[in-house]
Amino acid sequence: MSEFECPCCKRVMIDFRLVDMLEILRKKIGDKPIIVNSGYRCVEYNQKVGGVPESYHLYGMAADVRVPGVAPAELLAYAEEVGFLGLGLYDTFCHLDIRYNYTRWEG
Ligand SMILES: [Zn+2]
Ligand SMILES: [Zn+2]
């Protein structure tokens, strides 16, 4: 749970649907640990890291995750199967969020 905290102020907000889906994802990839690089962000911290103003991180609906030994592109494919609709592919991690319209991008 502390993995989801905002690094600057330690506040946390999590949509439990996000946690449920990460749990399903974890089972799907063979119970490997999912490392959360970034979960909830307050407005100030989101600006600091250059997040988009309407980032789903602000609502506890997004997580930037990686799994040691699993390539981000592979992880993203699993996440899509699980039903994540916001899918961002980056060099070292995936951005996953539970928005309601399908959006996929590469960062
Ligand atoms: Zn903060
Ligand atoms: Zn993100």
Side-chain angles (χ1 to χ4, degrees), residues 38 41 55 57 62-64 90 93-96 105:
S38 182
R41 295 175 191 161
S55 172
H57 287 281
D64 294 342
Y90 295 84
F93 66 90
C94 295
H95 166 105
L96 305 177
W105 70 93

